[in-house]
Amino acid sequence: MNEKARKYVDLFRKVKIASAGTVDEQGRPQSRIINVMIAADEGMYIVTAKGKPFYKQLMETGEIALSAMCPDCQSLKFTGKIKQVEREWVDRVFEQNPGMKEVYPGETRKALEAFLIYEGSGEWFDLLHYPISRETFAYGREEEKAGFVIEEGCIGCGACQKVCPQKCITEGKPYEISWEHCLQCGACKEACPVNAVRRLHP
């Protein structure tokens, strides 16, 4: 894991409370609040009980999506792969999160299984300052940027620049969007008279 990814994995751990999204066997989205219990170079560790639908969905799909709100209107999101790990990780979770002993006292912790989010990509997004800022990160795979790009068909009319709420489009041939300050609202794409604005991989 590179230094940038580790910074945001540690931030997930610092925030601790996150919304975790999965898909059930009918293809319906499901979400619940979880704790990121351990941050490590190999990824993020969580636990859940074997009797919960969350456990079943993780086992069936091997995928998870996380989102969290940091202090000062900074948000984190992450989509990745997850796998069950050895039971010793349940004990490590309890060592690093003493409050778990109140929820699952004594031998009742045996109901839990530990999982490692071993690869994925995410984004940090700061809405507090103007212009807004965003940064992507990943471990175990390549970073993925979303948003928009202006292609060679641009005629330089400036329509996109005029409608950009963050003023992050600069004049050129073609005009250029500063990705790190883009809200990804799509106003530039709607305004372009020659369809020169293209959405990147979502």
Side-chain angles (χ1 to χ4, degrees), residues 69-88:
M69 179 62 75
C70 308
D72 302 326
C73 292
Q74 299 167 6
S75 68
L76 281 169
K77 66 178 183 179
F78 189 86
T79 303
K81 301 281 189 182
I82 191 167
K83 63 182 178 182
Q84 189 172 346
V85 292
E86 297 82 2
R87 285 205 53 81
E88 66 185 66

Side-chain angles (χ1 to χ4, degrees), residues 47-110:
V47 295
T48 191
K50 293 191 287 280
K52 293 186 177 183
F54 185 35
Y55 173 85
K56 184 173 186 288
Q57 291 154 20
L58 293 178
M59 294 296 290
E60 288 177 348
T61 68
E63 297 187 356
I64 190 170
L66 300 178
S67 60
M69 179 62 75
C70 308
D72 302 326
C73 292
Q74 299 167 6
S75 68
L76 281 169
K77 66 178 183 179
F78 189 86
T79 303
K81 301 281 189 182
I82 191 167
K83 63 182 178 182
Q84 189 172 346
V85 292
E86 297 82 2
R87 285 205 53 81
E88 66 185 66
W89 282 100
V90 174
D91 293 330
R92 294 189 191 184
V93 163
F94 274 68
E95 289 169 6
Q96 295 194 30
N97 301 269
M100 288 292 292
K101 295 175 183 177
E102 297 180 10
V103 182
Y104 288 95
E107 293 297 303
T108 64
R109 74 171 67 177
K110 290 182 178 179

